[in-house]
Amino acid sequence: MRALEKIITIRDRRFLLRVETSHESADYRKYEDLREEIWGYPDDHMSGTRNMMCENVFHEGGSLFLGAFAEAADGGFAADGGSLAGFCYGFVGVRDKSVGFRDPRNLRFYSQYAGVRKAFQSYGLGVRLKEFQRECVLGLLGVPTIICTYDPLTGVNAHRNVRRLGMDVLEYRVATYGEYGGHLNRPDVPTDRFLMSWDLEGKGGRPGYDLQAALAAPEPVRASLRRVEGKSGGLDLEVVEATDRGVEAETLLVRIPLDLYRMLQETDVADPEVKRIPVDWRMATREVFRALLARGYRVVDFLKAAADKPGHHYVLRRAAPRDR
């Protein structure tokens, strides 16, 4: 059995990454408390603490609770809610329902929550937690695939999942969770998601592509900066100008906002034109992603904004017949 915990150092801080094995239901409350602090949506909660304990793979279930705990100022680690800096939670499921659990090759792990407390979001803990999750899912459970969903418009998640961890986009899902509020979502902005697959036994690396050709290609989503009156005052926000889902090129760049979470907060105002900015982004990118994926394009990379290319961009490459 692989180790159930390890200590990592990031810049000036040490963190304990640890698999939860507690037999006390109260010890599971810290995960729900942090989930509510990060997402801020009490209607979408985890199971009760007794149920969370029972579903843990170290008890009667198939779930894994992983925590990242910050070292105390005087040294040492306390695996409690006060030092919990981030967590991951997920469970084992099956790909083909007709096969079920009869064939181990049909198993996959669904990662439902992964979050980091705001005070620790500059440490890259999200990536380190996901890498620890990979070790545990593969080493402890023997499951070779993790799946998850995330909002395609969130650059921080795209950079982690696509570029850093090498996940593949399986499909584009429309309004996955219905109306969803809180700190990271807004009820009037549809909850579209990418369904992702992470091959834990893969050797890494992304399909090659011609970046210069991509930079010169016509853009399926065109946007520009506009001065608007947001919740905190005047600011410049990216606004969708036009889309072209029929654009043709071997490699394409699909633009998304620089910071969707800030955009959601700043545009939550009475002015309907301002309020609609993130909705326009959702509908425009939904149209483009669905059209391109249906035509055989594949997400192969993610590029953060640069001086020669403002805005974050997904890189999509037309798949060769043998790749489809």
Side-chain angles (χ1 to χ4, degrees):
M1 181 179 286
R2 296 289 183 91
L4 301 182
E5 62 182 43
K6 67 178 183 180
I7 295 173
I8 62 173
T9 301
I10 306 175
R11 300 200 305 272
D12 59 332
R13 298 297 298 267
R14 294 205 309 165
F15 299 90
L16 172 68
L17 303 183
R18 179 177 177 273
V19 180
E20 182 63 70
T21 61
S22 175
H23 294 267
E24 301 294 330
S25 64
D27 288 334
Y28 293 81
R29 181 68 205 180
K30 58 181 175 283
Y31 301 108
E32 168 60 11
D33 288 344
L34 183 53
R35 185 213 62 79
E36 172 57 18
E37 180 180 326
I38 294 170
W39 276 269
Y41 195 56
D43 290 344
D44 180 49
H45 52 76
M46 298 174 75
S47 300
T49 57
R50 181 180 64 84
N51 292 335
M52 283 193 277
M53 179 190 70
C54 292
E55 71 180 63
N56 192 332
V57 72
F58 288 92
H59 293 277
E60 284 71 51
S63 298
L64 272 177
F65 297 83
L66 310 178
F69 300 88
E71 186 176 29
D74 57 354
F77 296 94
D80 57 22
S83 61
L84 184 63
F87 80 106
C88 283
Y89 160 76
F91 49 86
V92 177
V94 297
R95 186 190 320 270
D96 185 336
K97 305 304 183 289
S98 66
V99 176
F101 290 87
R102 300 175 187 87
D103 186 345
R105 292 170 298 182
N106 193 44
L107 300 180
R108 58 186 185 178
F109 184 89
Y110 176 62
S111 180
Q112 184 170 11
Y113 286 108
V116 175
R117 196 182 298 274
K118 188 173 183 178
F120 297 100
Q121 287 178 358
S122 65
Y123 285 87
L125 264 182
V127 169
R128 303 299 289 272
L129 269 167
K130 294 297 292 185
E131 290 173 341
F132 186 54
Q133 185 183 55
R134 175 189 180 277
E135 295 175 20
C136 295
V137 170
L138 193 57
L140 295 176
L141 305 182
V143 176
T145 304
I146 289 178
I147 62 169
C148 66
T149 62
Y150 81 93
D151 190 328
L153 296 182
T154 55
V156 62
N157 291 324
H159 185 266
R160 179 191 67 200
N161 293 338
V162 176
R163 187 169 182 83
R164 177 72 181 266
L165 301 179
M167 295 186 188
D168 293 310
V169 176
L170 295 181
E171 62 183 79
Y172 187 102
R173 292 184 169 178
V174 173
T176 306
Y177 302 120
E179 290 190 352
Y180 196 174
H183 302 318
L184 307 182
N185 299 274
R186 219 173 68 191
D188 61 313
V189 181
T191 53
D192 291 15
R193 297 292 186 265
F194 273 155
L195 175 65
M196 309 296 292
S197 179
W198 189 10
D199 178 6
L200 305 185
E201 296 177 318
K203 301 186 183 302
R206 308 297 297 171
Y209 63 91
D210 187 335
L211 177 58
Q212 293 307 312
L215 292 173
E219 291 207 32
V221 178
R222 295 187 292 279
S224 62
L225 285 179
R226 182 184 301 173
R227 191 72 177 175
V228 301
E229 194 64 27
K231 182 171 286 188
S232 65
L235 74 159
D236 294 324
L237 284 180
E238 300 156 287
V239 177
V240 173
E241 298 290 350
T243 61
D244 181 4
R245 64 179 184 177
V247 66
E248 287 287 345
E250 201 64 29
T251 305
L252 295 169
L253 302 183
V254 177
R255 184 170 177 174
I256 64 169
L258 288 171
D259 189 340
L260 176 68
Y261 297 137
R262 180 171 181 251
M263 179 180 285
L264 290 175
Q265 297 298 319
E266 288 289 350
T267 60
D268 194 11
V269 295
D271 185 337
E273 289 192 13
V274 175
K275 192 177 182 71
R276 187 171 173 80
I277 290 173
V279 179
D280 289 340
W281 272 105
R282 174 69 76 220
M283 304 312 291
T285 53
R286 174 196 290 180
E287 174 188 12
V288 166
F289 278 126
R290 295 183 76 191
L292 293 180
L293 293 175
R295 285 162 47 203
Y297 282 89
R298 176 184 175 194
V299 175
V300 296
D301 203 355
F302 179 78
L303 304 176
K304 288 185 175 181
D308 60 341
K309 197 67 174 176
H312 294 329
H313 291 81
Y314 286 93
V315 182
L316 279 75
R317 178 175 173 267
R318 198 198 314 269
R322 63 179 179 278
D323 296 331
R324 297 181 188 177

